[in-house]
Amino acid sequence: MSMTTATTDEVAEEPPAPAAPSDQRERDRMRRRLARRRGGGWWPYLFLAPWFVGLFGLTIYPMLDSLYLSFTDFDLLTPARWVGLDNYTRMFADDPVFWDSVHATLVYVLVSVPLKLALALGVAMLLNRDLKGIGLYRAAFYLPSLLGGAVAVAIVWRQVFGGDGLFNDFLAWFGIKGQDWISSPDSALYTLVLLAVWQFGTPMVIFLAGLKQLPKDVYEAAALDGARPVTRFFRITLPLLTPIVFFNVVLQIIDAFKTFTPAFVISNGSGGPLDSTMLYSLYLYKKGFTDLQMGYASALAWVLFLVIAGFTAVNFVASRYWVHYDD
Amino acid sequence: MSALTPNASPLARLRSLTGSRRILVHTLLVGVAVVMLYPLLWMLSSSLKPDTDIFTHPGLIPGRVRPENYSEGWSGSGNSFSLYIVNSLIVTIGAVIGNVVSCSLAAYAFARFEFRGKRIWFGLMLGTLMLPTQAVLIPQYTIFYNLTWINTYLPLIVPKFLAVDAFFIFLMVQFIRSVPRELDQAAMVDGANPWSIYWRIILPLMRPALITTTIFTFIWTYDDFLHQLVYLQQNDRFTVPLGLTLFLDQTSGSSYGAMFAMSTLALLPTLICFLVFQKRLVEGMATSGMKG
């Protein structure tokens, strides 16, 4: 109904289209008027309506609700009961498992992200040349990051690093006797780190696209000046690539904080052995949905949100000092 | 990539390697590829072996082939695996339609209109890209609980119709910006309103971005274990990832052959997508990293 009125409005305002748009100036004027029209009245809001509902209904309101719940005792079935800061004091002062999960998560993030990005950049550099079969290599390296989130892959991983798994067969070639890497609290987390590193394909593809855009003349000049490959890498490639390094660092850190599936599958949902694979998301899930302590889990969620926001903010601030923007 | 000319520039010489170095690079790359793909090949080969051979004969070619792993795994969790596949299809198809529709609408608005607060809204949209889903999981759960949507597929599908996957909005905005504005303007001169420009010009031209969105939404929704775990509790509603974990629980992870067989089957849809759309997936990911 309202749509038809709007259309008639526009038609009414619009001068009749010139029968013969031969006059260039007339056409230009028309174009300018149309450009002003890009404001489009309420059209953009109509197109954005679903997104607005999602933004407010499924993001902003839930964030606020979660903040409120974090100050309550809430088990979903009975109304939330205000407990002030109890959840937060309990978390920081009185919950050793919380600290176990913080520890596991920080190790996981700080080890897996640099390794993954270094491998991604290294392989992208290898691929950034005229080689036969580039497409094939790129595809092979990308495949794991497409599959990596699947439960099935985590199941396979559990067997690869089990006592009689593939990894120990490999070590046996070198005469090393392995152990059950999954059930040892010292190594279980590192099997998850390896699983993350195995998925270096996504940042690699992004690096590769970035490498292809680097200005060629700089390299030609450097090559003519006899700059060695190492020099070229540190003096030209890396500085020019910093915006993409930055992009990848931000995204991979956020991704690593969110990791849930492999920790759940490898530990059978327990986060064990000895909480060594209790990644933060897994702990949050257990508190919220296994123990139905949804107030406490909301507090955990807010802490996660603040930590990720903090990491991202630090990244953005630090980027002023190391990211090189051309324009 | 430009072809090498006979009198190549210094750069071209730099990039094209001499014989021995070329072999070195290929060896390195093949080595990495083998390490990367070996676990998957091992899974496939183990899915065809008798349980007793899996860990004692770790080679890739099965000595004895036991196809029963597949038939036993198929019904191994108490439900037929086909039930999980159908359920996963319901969720993924719903999510794909939701994302394609809602994200393209939002992207068109962001790419083609000027409106009050556009920069702020756009910034918020990019901000939600960085918001961890876990941060809103519990309040979203209470919303869907109050709507009595637990144990239905609605909590997994409806949010997609509300464009919550900002990544795809961003992808499509980038794409629409590359479509010449003259096309819109010409249509506007002919009296087309924004809706018909969206429907008749932008959407058809956006096909590549829509296909990329479809494939990624399919794969990511199919693999989205956390939300399925939270919202689906009755095992006749289970999807493929949940069916797999149920199978693990019921066999306590001890019928290895069948477990590998079902893992292989569970990865098959993603693998097929990958084989068919490999190039588009890689490029879709690559362009998302570029500044607009």
Side-chain angles (χ1 to χ4, degrees), chain A residues 214-232:
Chain A
L214 295 186
K216 301 196 164 46
D217 46 343
V218 185
Y219 283 92
E220 303 211 1
L224 284 174
D225 288 348
R228 292 212 325 261
V230 179
T231 321
R232 286 202 303 267

Side-chain angles (χ1 to χ4, degrees), chain A residues 58 130 137 198 232 281, chain B residues 1 14 26 36 134 138 140:
Chain A
L58 292 174
D130 299 311
Y137 287 125
W198 184 62
R232 286 202 303 267
S281 303
Chain B
M1 199 171 294
L14 252 169
H26 273 295
M36 297 281 291
Q134 283 87 347
I138 283 160
Q140 281 186 1

Side-chain angles (χ1 to χ4, degrees), chain A residues 54-107:
Chain A
L55 179 72
F56 287 102
L58 292 174
T59 306
I60 293 178
Y61 163 71
M63 284 304 291
L64 298 174
D65 191 31
S66 154
L67 184 63
Y68 162 71
L69 288 176
S70 77
F71 296 108
T72 67
D73 201 0
F74 179 51
D75 64 358
L76 194 65
L77 309 167
T78 47
R81 191 170 55 83
W82 185 265
V83 294
L85 283 170
D86 279 11
N87 287 326
Y88 291 96
T89 48
R90 171 178 156 206
M91 192 187 308
F92 289 108
D94 216 13
D95 183 359
V97 184
F98 167 76
W99 289 109
D100 287 345
S101 85
V102 167
H103 179 251
T105 309
L106 284 181
V107 170

Side-chain angles (χ1 to χ4, degrees), chain A residues 24 45 50 53 71 88 95 106 113 138 144 158 160-161 173 194 202-203 214 226 250 271 283 308 312-313 315:
Chain A
Q24 182 64 36
Y45 300 104
V53 175
F71 296 108
Y88 291 96
D95 183 359
L106 284 181
V113 172
R138 201 175 60 163
R158 206 162 85 162
V160 166
F161 289 97
W173 285 3
L194 279 178
T202 302
L214 295 186
V250 170
Y283 189 52
I308 291 185
T312 309
N315 255 321

Side-chain angles (χ1 to χ4, degrees), chain A residues 261-281:
Chain A
T261 309
F264 183 94
V265 173
I266 278 182
S267 69
N268 258 333
S270 74
L274 293 178
D275 297 334
S276 63
T277 60
M278 187 70 90
L279 293 187
Y280 200 92
S281 303

